[in-house]
Amino acid sequence: MTTAEQSPAHAPLRQARERFLTGRPLPDGVPDDVVAAWRRARFFGVRPDLDGPVRESAQPADSPLLEAARPALTRIAPALDAGRTALVLTDERLRVLWSTGSAPGDDTCADLSEREVGHNSAALALRTRRRAEVHGPEHFLDVWQDVSAVSVPLFSPETGQVLGTLTVARALWAGCRPHPGAALAEAAAAAVEAELRARARTAERALLDAYERAARGRERAVVALDGRNRLISEAAAGLASPQVLEALERGARTWGRDTGESYDVQLPEDAGCTAEITPVRHGGRVLGLVAVLAARPVEPEPSTPGLGGALVGGSVAWRHAVARATELFRTPGPVLVAGERGTGKTALALGLLDGTDPLVVDAAESPELGLKEVPPAGNRGRVGDRPLLLRHAERLSQQDVAALNSLLDQRPDARLVATHTPGTSPGPCLQRLLDTLAARSVTLPALRERPEDIRELLPVLTPGPAPGSPPLTWTLDALRALEQHPWPGNVTELAHLVRALAGRRRVFGPVRRGELPDPVREGPAGRTLSPMELAERSAILEALRRHGGNKARAAAALGIGRATLYRKLREYQGRDAPNGPRP
């Protein structure tokens, strides 16, 4: 007679399992989570009479978790009842990294995932991120019917992610929970996590030392990273794009087993910098890298005169739009520049056409432009050969739109730059013109989509100071207010504000926030959170409460990155959210 047969407490569940395996209806009272686990095992094709995993699981060649856990587990192992208790360590994929002792039915399975062996405590602990117990007939495999097991997840001290599990297995326990090995499993997990924290601090110290040696002050552009931490000097922040940092991260992650002294990272073609790579070693392995960046010499591109002034800006969205417009203009054919009012469409168009003696017409100034009189072709010197700048295409009369459509039908390579502000639905004739120009169009981003460009725009938009007067400068508080304002009038609205301030100021020193107009000074009005945002905010606050304010663990529990959690906390700060305290 087996231990399971001797345990009346487990008899109903054992009978329910037998009915499940034979396809008969289940009795009432079977826990839903257990039935769901059995069904998953059947879906994965696990055989209940299996006495081990279907296939051997590939063991990780280099496991930092095993390296950190082995000393602690070796100290604990002598305390086990080796003939009746087993202690098992797995990684985050439930591959067995280390085990000692033995338990009934323990054949040292190499993989404890549900896809291989069905329901078990290690898989349950990994999924729920907390201690989990599985007893006898709750298991799917026949070989584990006499086994009680308790598993505890192991968390990364830096990210809060689950690194693996620790399991204590012994003969079937018929008493009340918790499992008698729960205290041992918790103590072993605490010892392993303490070792992980100690090693992380040592590794971080090694990375910081390498960074400080390479930086030699604030002037050098240095990046140090190890896949979890980033140290970036002020000079490097201006050189390293997100794509460059991602390339360096990939290099750091793939060097764990390298032993050579020469390292290289393939940076993006448009990186704009070069990197001198040095590996950071600790404990006999490479844990990260230090990169000294240098600006890559840039070959001067054929310039388009006039692309200065109000067209400054270093944001990705703005640089992409200007580059796209410049590329289109260098090839024959019309160009459509679209965007909200005040985004700089005309300034960009004039910059593109600078030096070409364009014919400028504005549909907003005259309802009838007489474009039908513009000859579609001609010899050198005729007006038809001059580039045409058409402002406010949305204001064109139907007659002028028809003339333009005819012009483009006859001369698809016509030198035409048109600006268009989307608004009311266009008529069929104008829609045909917009469809013709759509393939060679560029949309300028609104100023609210590139607030980082405001600090570059201010010196350009500010009128020159009077003789003997200092130039207009701004306090950080005033700059933040400008960057937070939505600017419905875009760059044009910003230019009017700057000129008005410069004209009426009678004091010296930087412009303070209090001098700005009320809508800019007070910032955008808060709004009431939607039901979805309220629910999300409540979930974030509950996760923070459950994890004692640890943002890394809270983010991991919610399935989001730490950066996303911080961003959402900033977004909810100050919002109208009556259902609880502020984050």
Side-chain angles (χ1 to χ4, degrees), residues 513-550:
R513 189 185 189 109
E515 299 179 62
L516 301 176
D518 289 347
V520 181
R521 179 176 66 248
E522 295 171 1
R527 62 176 177 83
T528 302
L529 296 179
S530 68
M532 181 65 74
E533 289 171 324
L534 283 171
E536 183 180 63
R537 180 178 180 276
S538 298
I540 290 174
L541 292 177
E542 173 60 23
L544 287 170
R545 184 196 63 77
R546 193 167 58 249
H547 293 280
N550 187 308

mmCIF file of all heavy atoms in Angstrom, residues 513-550:
data_model
loop_
_atom_site.group_PDB
_atom_site.id
_atom_site.type_symbol
_atom_site.label_atom_id
_atom_site.label_comp_id
_atom_site.label_asym_id
_atom_site.label_seq_id
_atom_site.Cartn_x
_atom_site.Cartn_y
_atom_site.Cartn_z
ATOM 1 N N ARG A 513 9.711 82.838 -14.629
ATOM 2 C CA ARG A 513 8.412 82.232 -14.937
ATOM 3 C C ARG A 513 7.267 83.233 -14.745
ATOM 4 O O ARG A 513 6.299 83.234 -15.508
ATOM 5 C CB ARG A 513 8.207 80.999 -14.046
ATOM 6 C CG ARG A 513 6.992 80.151 -14.426
ATOM 7 C CD ARG A 513 6.773 79.029 -13.433
ATOM 8 N NE ARG A 513 5.758 78.088 -13.903
ATOM 9 C CZ ARG A 513 5.971 76.856 -14.314
ATOM 10 N NH1 ARG A 513 7.207 76.382 -14.338
ATOM 11 N NH2 ARG A 513 4.982 76.092 -14.709
ATOM 12 N N GLY A 514 7.389 84.089 -13.740
ATOM 13 C CA GLY A 514 6.330 85.042 -13.459
ATOM 14 C C GLY A 514 6.104 86.055 -14.566
ATOM 15 O O GLY A 514 5.053 86.709 -14.613
ATOM 16 N N GLU A 515 7.076 86.249 -15.468
ATOM 17 C CA GLU A 515 6.921 87.203 -16.564
ATOM 18 C C GLU A 515 6.173 86.604 -17.749
ATOM 19 O O GLU A 515 5.798 87.336 -18.673
ATOM 20 C CB GLU A 515 8.300 87.685 -17.034
ATOM 21 C CG GLU A 515 9.102 88.406 -15.980
ATOM 22 C CD GLU A 515 10.462 88.834 -16.511
ATOM 23 O OE1 GLU A 515 10.495 89.638 -17.462
ATOM 24 O OE2 GLU A 515 11.479 88.331 -16.010
ATOM 25 N N LEU A 516 5.976 85.310 -17.760
ATOM 26 C CA LEU A 516 5.316 84.662 -18.886
ATOM 27 C C LEU A 516 3.813 84.894 -18.825
ATOM 28 O O LEU A 516 3.249 85.119 -17.748
ATOM 29 C CB LEU A 516 5.611 83.163 -18.878
ATOM 30 C CG LEU A 516 7.087 82.763 -18.955
ATOM 31 C CD1 LEU A 516 7.225 81.251 -18.846
ATOM 32 C CD2 LEU A 516 7.710 83.257 -20.254
ATOM 33 N N PRO A 517 3.116 84.836 -19.975
ATOM 34 C CA PRO A 517 1.645 84.955 -19.961
ATOM 35 C C PRO A 517 1.020 83.869 -19.100
ATOM 36 O O PRO A 517 1.587 82.788 -18.923
ATOM 37 C CB PRO A 517 1.267 84.781 -21.446
ATOM 38 C CG PRO A 517 2.510 85.113 -22.204
ATOM 39 C CD PRO A 517 3.661 84.707 -21.340
ATOM 40 N N ASP A 518 -0.169 84.165 -18.567
ATOM 41 C CA ASP A 518 -0.815 83.241 -17.639
ATOM 42 C C ASP A 518 -0.926 81.818 -18.169
ATOM 43 O O ASP A 518 -0.596 80.856 -17.449
ATOM 44 C CB ASP A 518 -2.212 83.767 -17.266
ATOM 45 C CG ASP A 518 -2.120 84.996 -16.365
ATOM 46 O OD1 ASP A 518 -1.019 85.255 -15.855
ATOM 47 O OD2 ASP A 518 -3.147 85.669 -16.191
ATOM 48 N N PRO A 519 -1.415 81.592 -19.409
ATOM 49 C CA PRO A 519 -1.557 80.190 -19.865
ATOM 50 C C PRO A 519 -0.238 79.434 -19.888
ATOM 51 O O PRO A 519 -0.204 78.231 -19.641
ATOM 52 C CB PRO A 519 -2.152 80.340 -21.277
ATOM 53 C CG PRO A 519 -2.757 81.697 -21.307
ATOM 54 C CD PRO A 519 -1.905 82.536 -20.422
ATOM 55 N N VAL A 520 0.867 80.151 -20.201
ATOM 56 C CA VAL A 520 2.183 79.491 -20.246
ATOM 57 C C VAL A 520 2.721 79.310 -18.841
ATOM 58 O O VAL A 520 3.271 78.262 -18.493
ATOM 59 C CB VAL A 520 3.158 80.306 -21.112
ATOM 60 C CG1 VAL A 520 4.519 79.616 -21.187
ATOM 61 C CG2 VAL A 520 2.590 80.508 -22.510
ATOM 62 N N ARG A 521 2.557 80.334 -18.001
ATOM 63 C CA ARG A 521 3.112 80.274 -16.641
ATOM 64 C C ARG A 521 2.445 79.194 -15.802
ATOM 65 O O ARG A 521 3.106 78.484 -15.049
ATOM 66 C CB ARG A 521 2.932 81.640 -15.959
ATOM 67 C CG ARG A 521 3.451 81.678 -14.539
ATOM 68 C CD ARG A 521 3.339 83.058 -13.937
ATOM 69 N NE ARG A 521 1.966 83.491 -13.753
ATOM 70 C CZ ARG A 521 1.392 84.476 -14.424
ATOM 71 N NH1 ARG A 521 2.070 85.126 -15.347
ATOM 72 N NH2 ARG A 521 0.141 84.811 -14.190
ATOM 73 N N GLU A 522 1.126 79.050 -15.937
ATOM 74 C CA GLU A 522 0.391 78.116 -15.092
ATOM 75 C C GLU A 522 0.451 76.691 -15.605
ATOM 76 O O GLU A 522 0.108 75.763 -14.873
ATOM 77 C CB GLU A 522 -1.071 78.571 -14.994
ATOM 78 C CG GLU A 522 -1.209 79.908 -14.289
ATOM 79 C CD GLU A 522 -2.620 80.456 -14.393
ATOM 80 O OE1 GLU A 522 -3.467 79.766 -15.000
ATOM 81 O OE2 GLU A 522 -2.866 81.566 -13.882
ATOM 82 N N GLY A 523 0.860 76.484 -16.838
ATOM 83 C CA GLY A 523 0.976 75.130 -17.367
ATOM 84 C C GLY A 523 -0.365 74.593 -17.812
ATOM 85 O O GLY A 523 -1.419 75.158 -17.521
ATOM 86 N N PRO A 524 -0.354 73.461 -18.517
ATOM 87 C CA PRO A 524 -1.602 72.873 -18.992
ATOM 88 C C PRO A 524 -2.470 72.427 -17.836
ATOM 89 O O PRO A 524 -1.990 71.909 -16.839
ATOM 90 C CB PRO A 524 -1.133 71.677 -19.849
ATOM 91 C CG PRO A 524 0.231 71.357 -19.344
ATOM 92 C CD PRO A 524 0.819 72.668 -18.894
ATOM 93 N N ALA A 525 -3.771 72.644 -17.973
ATOM 94 C CA ALA A 525 -4.701 72.252 -16.909
ATOM 95 C C ALA A 525 -4.751 70.751 -16.776
ATOM 96 O O ALA A 525 -4.660 70.014 -17.755
ATOM 97 C CB ALA A 525 -6.097 72.792 -17.229
ATOM 98 N N GLY A 526 -4.862 70.279 -15.522
ATOM 99 C CA GLY A 526 -4.981 68.842 -15.302
ATOM 100 C C GLY A 526 -6.334 68.344 -15.791
ATOM 101 O O GLY A 526 -7.283 69.099 -15.992
ATOM 102 N N ARG A 527 -6.414 67.088 -16.003
ATOM 103 C CA ARG A 527 -7.665 66.493 -16.454
ATOM 104 C C ARG A 527 -8.015 65.328 -15.535
ATOM 105 O O ARG A 527 -7.163 64.757 -14.870
ATOM 106 C CB ARG A 527 -7.552 65.991 -17.901
ATOM 107 C CG ARG A 527 -6.522 64.899 -18.076
ATOM 108 C CD ARG A 527 -6.541 64.383 -19.498
ATOM 109 N NE ARG A 527 -5.515 63.394 -19.721
ATOM 110 C CZ ARG A 527 -5.637 62.114 -19.420
ATOM 111 N NH1 ARG A 527 -6.745 61.672 -18.858
ATOM 112 N NH2 ARG A 527 -4.658 61.263 -19.666
ATOM 113 N N THR A 528 -9.279 64.963 -15.534
ATOM 114 C CA THR A 528 -9.740 63.848 -14.726
ATOM 115 C C THR A 528 -9.305 62.537 -15.365
ATOM 116 O O THR A 528 -9.399 62.368 -16.586
ATOM 117 C CB THR A 528 -11.276 63.890 -14.614
ATOM 118 O OG1 THR A 528 -11.651 65.137 -14.043
ATOM 119 C CG2 THR A 528 -11.775 62.746 -13.747
ATOM 120 N N LEU A 529 -8.808 61.630 -14.573
ATOM 121 C CA LEU A 529 -8.376 60.347 -15.105
ATOM 122 C C LEU A 529 -9.576 59.546 -15.601
ATOM 123 O O LEU A 529 -10.652 59.574 -15.004
ATOM 124 C CB LEU A 529 -7.647 59.554 -14.019
ATOM 125 C CG LEU A 529 -6.340 60.155 -13.499
ATOM 126 C CD1 LEU A 529 -5.775 59.256 -12.413
ATOM 127 C CD2 LEU A 529 -5.339 60.331 -14.609
ATOM 128 N N SER A 530 -9.365 58.832 -16.701
ATOM 129 C CA SER A 530 -10.405 57.968 -17.237
ATOM 130 C C SER A 530 -10.542 56.736 -16.343
ATOM 131 O O SER A 530 -9.647 56.427 -15.533
ATOM 132 C CB SER A 530 -10.045 57.537 -18.655
ATOM 133 O OG SER A 530 -8.917 56.688 -18.631
ATOM 134 N N PRO A 531 -11.666 55.991 -16.471
ATOM 135 C CA PRO A 531 -11.797 54.759 -15.669
ATOM 136 C C PRO A 531 -10.646 53.786 -15.882
ATOM 137 O O PRO A 531 -10.188 53.146 -14.937
ATOM 138 C CB PRO A 531 -13.137 54.185 -16.162
ATOM 139 C CG PRO A 531 -13.914 55.379 -16.636
ATOM 140 C CD PRO A 531 -12.891 56.316 -17.223
ATOM 141 N N MET A 532 -10.159 53.673 -17.124
ATOM 142 C CA MET A 532 -9.036 52.777 -17.384
ATOM 143 C C MET A 532 -7.776 53.254 -16.666
ATOM 144 O O MET A 532 -7.045 52.469 -16.072
ATOM 145 C CB MET A 532 -8.778 52.692 -18.892
ATOM 146 C CG MET A 532 -7.640 51.756 -19.272
ATOM 147 S SD MET A 532 -8.021 50.038 -18.872
ATOM 148 C CE MET A 532 -9.210 49.689 -20.160
ATOM 149 N N GLU A 533 -7.533 54.586 -16.695
ATOM 150 C CA GLU A 533 -6.352 55.121 -16.017
ATOM 151 C C GLU A 533 -6.473 54.977 -14.502
ATOM 152 O O GLU A 533 -5.476 54.717 -13.817
ATOM 153 C CB GLU A 533 -6.159 56.590 -16.401
ATOM 154 C CG GLU A 533 -5.691 56.785 -17.836
ATOM 155 C CD GLU A 533 -5.707 58.243 -18.253
ATOM 156 O OE1 GLU A 533 -6.618 58.970 -17.819
ATOM 157 O OE2 GLU A 533 -4.816 58.650 -19.015
ATOM 158 N N LEU A 534 -7.692 55.162 -13.962
ATOM 159 C CA LEU A 534 -7.893 54.969 -12.533
ATOM 160 C C LEU A 534 -7.590 53.533 -12.123
ATOM 161 O O LEU A 534 -6.949 53.275 -11.097
ATOM 162 C CB LEU A 534 -9.331 55.328 -12.155
ATOM 163 C CG LEU A 534 -9.658 56.823 -12.057
ATOM 164 C CD1 LEU A 534 -11.148 57.017 -11.885
ATOM 165 C CD2 LEU A 534 -8.893 57.466 -10.916
ATOM 166 N N ALA A 535 -8.049 52.576 -12.951
ATOM 167 C CA ALA A 535 -7.783 51.169 -12.652
ATOM 168 C C ALA A 535 -6.288 50.879 -12.723
ATOM 169 O O ALA A 535 -5.735 50.172 -11.869
ATOM 170 C CB ALA A 535 -8.549 50.278 -13.627
ATOM 171 N N GLU A 536 -5.616 51.439 -13.744
ATOM 172 C CA GLU A 536 -4.181 51.220 -13.875
ATOM 173 C C GLU A 536 -3.438 51.837 -12.696
ATOM 174 O O GLU A 536 -2.519 51.232 -12.134
ATOM 175 C CB GLU A 536 -3.700 51.835 -15.186
ATOM 176 C CG GLU A 536 -2.226 51.616 -15.462
ATOM 177 C CD GLU A 536 -1.796 52.236 -16.772
ATOM 178 O OE1 GLU A 536 -1.881 53.478 -16.885
ATOM 179 O OE2 GLU A 536 -1.378 51.508 -17.669
ATOM 180 N N ARG A 537 -3.848 53.047 -12.311
ATOM 181 C CA ARG A 537 -3.201 53.722 -11.188
ATOM 182 C C ARG A 537 -3.386 52.924 -9.897
ATOM 183 O O ARG A 537 -2.449 52.772 -9.108
ATOM 184 C CB ARG A 537 -3.799 55.119 -11.041
ATOM 185 C CG ARG A 537 -3.224 55.965 -9.916
ATOM 186 C CD ARG A 537 -3.888 57.341 -9.942
ATOM 187 N NE ARG A 537 -3.374 58.185 -8.898
ATOM 188 C CZ ARG A 537 -3.811 58.191 -7.646
ATOM 189 N NH1 ARG A 537 -4.763 57.347 -7.297
ATOM 190 N NH2 ARG A 537 -3.300 59.014 -6.749
ATOM 191 N N SER A 538 -4.591 52.386 -9.688
ATOM 192 C CA SER A 538 -4.845 51.588 -8.495
ATOM 193 C C SER A 538 -3.990 50.330 -8.464
ATOM 194 O O SER A 538 -3.466 49.939 -7.425
ATOM 195 C CB SER A 538 -6.332 51.212 -8.431
ATOM 196 O OG SER A 538 -7.138 52.361 -8.330
ATOM 197 N N ALA A 539 -3.830 49.699 -9.656
ATOM 198 C CA ALA A 539 -3.004 48.492 -9.733
ATOM 199 C C ALA A 539 -1.543 48.806 -9.398
ATOM 200 O O ALA A 539 -0.871 48.040 -8.702
ATOM 201 C CB ALA A 539 -3.112 47.873 -11.116
ATOM 202 N N ILE A 540 -1.059 49.958 -9.858
ATOM 203 C CA ILE A 540 0.324 50.351 -9.579
ATOM 204 C C ILE A 540 0.510 50.609 -8.085
ATOM 205 O O ILE A 540 1.485 50.155 -7.465
ATOM 206 C CB ILE A 540 0.705 51.590 -10.412
ATOM 207 C CG1 ILE A 540 0.818 51.214 -11.904
ATOM 208 C CG2 ILE A 540 2.016 52.195 -9.924
ATOM 209 C CD1 ILE A 540 1.057 52.402 -12.802
ATOM 210 N N LEU A 541 -0.432 51.344 -7.482
ATOM 211 C CA LEU A 541 -0.321 51.630 -6.047
ATOM 212 C C LEU A 541 -0.400 50.357 -5.218
ATOM 213 O O LEU A 541 0.317 50.197 -4.221
ATOM 214 C CB LEU A 541 -1.425 52.601 -5.630
ATOM 215 C CG LEU A 541 -1.325 54.027 -6.186
ATOM 216 C CD1 LEU A 541 -2.518 54.851 -5.748
ATOM 217 C CD2 LEU A 541 -0.033 54.685 -5.754
ATOM 218 N N GLU A 542 -1.266 49.419 -5.623
ATOM 219 C CA GLU A 542 -1.381 48.161 -4.889
ATOM 220 C C GLU A 542 -0.098 47.344 -5.005
ATOM 221 O O GLU A 542 0.362 46.745 -4.023
ATOM 222 C CB GLU A 542 -2.574 47.363 -5.422
ATOM 223 C CG GLU A 542 -2.708 45.953 -4.847
ATOM 224 C CD GLU A 542 -2.880 45.936 -3.333
ATOM 225 O OE1 GLU A 542 -3.331 46.968 -2.771
ATOM 226 O OE2 GLU A 542 -2.565 44.910 -2.707
ATOM 227 N N ALA A 543 0.502 47.334 -6.216
ATOM 228 C CA ALA A 543 1.758 46.594 -6.389
ATOM 229 C C ALA A 543 2.868 47.213 -5.548
ATOM 230 O O ALA A 543 3.676 46.500 -4.940
ATOM 231 C CB ALA A 543 2.150 46.578 -7.870
ATOM 232 N N LEU A 544 2.922 48.537 -5.480
ATOM 233 C CA LEU A 544 3.926 49.197 -4.643
ATOM 234 C C LEU A 544 3.695 48.877 -3.170
ATOM 235 O O LEU A 544 4.653 48.646 -2.419
ATOM 236 C CB LEU A 544 3.870 50.712 -4.867
ATOM 237 C CG LEU A 544 4.437 51.215 -6.195
ATOM 238 C CD1 LEU A 544 4.106 52.686 -6.392
ATOM 239 C CD2 LEU A 544 5.947 51.006 -6.259
ATOM 240 N N ARG A 545 2.435 48.875 -2.746
ATOM 241 C CA ARG A 545 2.148 48.545 -1.346
ATOM 242 C C ARG A 545 2.537 47.109 -1.045
ATOM 243 O O ARG A 545 3.146 46.815 -0.005
ATOM 244 C CB ARG A 545 0.650 48.749 -1.073
ATOM 245 C CG ARG A 545 0.263 48.529 0.390
ATOM 246 C CD ARG A 545 -1.233 48.346 0.537
ATOM 247 N NE ARG A 545 -1.686 47.157 -0.158
ATOM 248 C CZ ARG A 545 -1.524 45.912 0.292
ATOM 249 N NH1 ARG A 545 -0.894 45.691 1.429
ATOM 250 N NH2 ARG A 545 -1.965 44.882 -0.402
ATOM 251 N N ARG A 546 2.208 46.186 -1.960
ATOM 252 C CA ARG A 546 2.487 44.768 -1.729
ATOM 253 C C ARG A 546 3.985 44.495 -1.670
ATOM 254 O O ARG A 546 4.426 43.572 -0.978
ATOM 255 C CB ARG A 546 1.835 43.943 -2.841
ATOM 256 C CG ARG A 546 1.777 42.452 -2.551
ATOM 257 C CD ARG A 546 0.871 41.720 -3.510
ATOM 258 N NE ARG A 546 1.272 41.878 -4.886
ATOM 259 C CZ ARG A 546 0.596 42.558 -5.801
ATOM 260 N NH1 ARG A 546 -0.536 43.165 -5.463
ATOM 261 N NH2 ARG A 546 1.014 42.657 -7.041
ATOM 262 N N HIS A 547 4.776 45.281 -2.388
ATOM 263 C CA HIS A 547 6.221 45.043 -2.425
ATOM 264 C C HIS A 547 6.978 46.072 -1.594
ATOM 265 O O HIS A 547 8.175 46.312 -1.832
ATOM 266 C CB HIS A 547 6.711 45.064 -3.876
ATOM 267 C CG HIS A 547 6.197 43.920 -4.703
ATOM 268 N ND1 HIS A 547 6.741 42.656 -4.652
ATOM 269 C CD2 HIS A 547 5.156 43.840 -5.565
ATOM 270 C CE1 HIS A 547 6.074 41.853 -5.465
ATOM 271 N NE2 HIS A 547 5.111 42.545 -6.034
ATOM 272 N N GLY A 548 6.296 46.676 -0.644
ATOM 273 C CA GLY A 548 6.972 47.566 0.293
ATOM 274 C C GLY A 548 7.593 48.789 -0.331
ATOM 275 O O GLY A 548 8.604 49.286 0.156
ATOM 276 N N GLY A 549 7.014 49.267 -1.442
ATOM 277 C CA GLY A 549 7.549 50.443 -2.110
ATOM 278 C C GLY A 549 8.683 50.161 -3.058
ATOM 279 O O GLY A 549 9.217 51.089 -3.684
ATOM 280 N N ASN A 550 9.078 48.897 -3.201
ATOM 281 C CA ASN A 550 10.170 48.541 -4.111
ATOM 282 C C ASN A 550 9.652 48.639 -5.551
ATOM 283 O O ASN A 550 8.858 47.817 -6.007
ATOM 284 C CB ASN A 550 10.647 47.113 -3.820
ATOM 285 C CG ASN A 550 11.883 46.748 -4.616
ATOM 286 O OD1 ASN A 550 11.920 46.898 -5.833
ATOM 287 N ND2 ASN A 550 12.896 46.243 -3.938
#
